[in-house]
Amino acid sequence: MNRNIHKEKRLKTPDRVLSKAGLGSRTEARSWIGAGRVRVNGKVIRTPDHWVDLDRDKVTLDGKPVAEAERRYILLYKPKGYVTTYRDPQGRPTVYDLLPDVDQFVGTAGRLDLDTSGLLLLTNDNQLAEALTNPEHRVPKTYLVKASTRLSDGQLEQLAGGVELSDGVTRAAIVRRIRESEKYTFLELTITEGRNRQVRRMLEAVGSKVLKLVRTNIGILSLTGLRIGEWRELTAQEVAALKKAARVTKRG
Ligand code: URA
């Protein structure tokens, strides 16, 4: 997750939590609070003079969790030239510039390099973000690669079998040759780790270089239907499938 976002505590008054969750106006929410229908961490609260930490506290209305509705799962087709941090000391565009309408803090589940385009998931569900990026959970990520050279079958086999990087041998990958041009090979590479600049370093390890890199899939998610620079919310089914793939068993 993006650390800058973690630093900002998501503190809100309970009436704001309820209205943000789309349940009603703040005035209505205050009346529910006054009526004893709202609990914070299991305790009935009677006034809105209360800070709620959205990352820690559980708010319920009539016994139903409210934070649930606050979760955001945003799938962005990141263009190249955007950094995956909240603020860039060098003033370059950040992926957050592409999400002006998203008013909750969402962190990135993993990163893409400045020059990589493709799928980036942003969410305030820290548990899912961490599970998706945890290499132990082996959630597959697929990349379309334009290599700077033509690659032999032997080189592709090396990529698939594991190559030696400075931080250890890579796990087995799925490699598919897409097409050849006179000078370049286009391939699809599916990895389950996600180390820093992994795909670029893998291509270098077999004596080539990445000229273009696009992340086309994260688990069940694909670029289909998104144009570059656009984002959409995940559907409930997609969230459930991702959680299953990332082995998220309980809510954070
Ligand atoms: N591998 C890379 O080398 N860069 C990315 O942005 C993603 C995966």
Side-chain angles (χ1 to χ4, degrees):
M1 286 290 277
N2 185 312
R3 302 255 166 248
N4 291 327
I5 285 161
H6 271 316
K7 271 188 240 149
E8 312 204 32
K9 261 197 176 278
R10 301 191 304 132
L11 296 178
K12 287 193 170 74
T13 53
D15 53 335
R16 192 155 165 74
V17 172
L18 291 159
S19 75
K20 275 258 170 211
L23 298 174
S25 69
R26 287 180 76 175
T27 312
E28 283 174 296
R30 284 194 205 107
S31 76
W32 301 332
I33 292 167
R37 293 169 59 190
V38 178
R39 288 172 189 255
V40 176
N41 299 326
K43 271 174 74 180
V44 173
I45 52 157
R46 296 270 176 190
T47 77
D49 307 333
H50 204 97
W51 286 114
V52 173
D53 178 346
L54 289 176
D55 289 322
R56 245 190 27 214
D57 298 330
K58 208 173 179 101
V59 181
T60 58
L61 171 65
D62 298 333
K64 292 198 200 94
V66 166
E68 202 88 1
E70 279 263 338
R71 298 283 193 211
R72 299 292 299 268
Y73 300 92
I74 286 162
L75 191 63
L76 172 71
Y77 186 162
K78 174 196 174 297
K80 63 183 233 186
Y82 284 75
V83 290
T84 314
T85 46
Y86 192 55
R87 283 194 194 91
D88 182 47
Q90 296 175 49
R92 292 169 296 186
T94 88
V95 291
Y96 293 91
D97 296 333
L98 300 165
L99 309 171
D101 306 332
V102 180
D103 58 359
Q104 281 106 342
F105 289 115
V106 283
T108 61
R111 286 175 176 240
L112 290 177
D113 300 335
L114 178 69
D115 286 335
T116 305
S117 61
L119 281 189
L120 186 67
L121 182 69
L122 298 104
T123 180
N124 51 7
D125 182 342
N126 300 344
Q127 201 190 6
L128 179 64
E130 272 150 29
L132 283 173
T133 50
N134 184 338
E136 292 306 311
H137 294 191
R138 295 175 187 253
V139 177
K141 282 118 195 164
T142 300
Y143 296 86
L144 199 58
V145 183
K146 178 181 179 184
S148 65
T149 58
R150 286 176 67 131
L151 298 174
S152 65
D153 287 347
Q155 285 170 303
L156 295 192
E157 277 160 26
Q158 270 183 283
L159 289 171
V163 292
E164 180 85 47
L165 301 182
S166 57
D167 48 3
V169 178
T170 56
R171 237 181 232 159
I174 300 171
V175 179
R176 195 159 69 86
R177 191 190 292 280
I178 306 279
R179 73 181 172 92
E180 295 295 311
S181 74
E182 215 172 287
K183 294 207 301 243
Y184 311 117
T185 292
F186 296 79
L187 65 138
E188 198 178 71
L189 186 60
T190 302
I191 58 174
T192 58
E193 294 169 282
R195 304 186 207 169
N196 190 31
R197 296 175 57 80
Q198 181 168 342
V199 176
R200 293 174 197 276
R201 292 191 292 138
M202 285 174 77
L203 268 285
E204 282 161 23
V206 299
S208 186
K209 271 178 92 165
V210 166
L211 289 186
K212 188 171 176 193
L213 190 56
V214 185
R215 179 151 70 187
T216 57
N217 301 77
I218 303 173
I220 48 118
L221 305 176
S222 83
L223 280 176
T224 310
L226 273 180
R227 281 181 301 189
I228 197 146
E230 272 185 357
W231 62 274
R232 68 171 177 87
E233 299 272 355
L234 295 189
T235 64
Q237 286 85 349
E238 286 172 325
V239 173
L242 271 189
K243 285 185 178 175
K244 199 168 168 202
R247 293 189 267 137
V248 175
T249 51
K250 59 178 174 50
R251 291 204 66 83

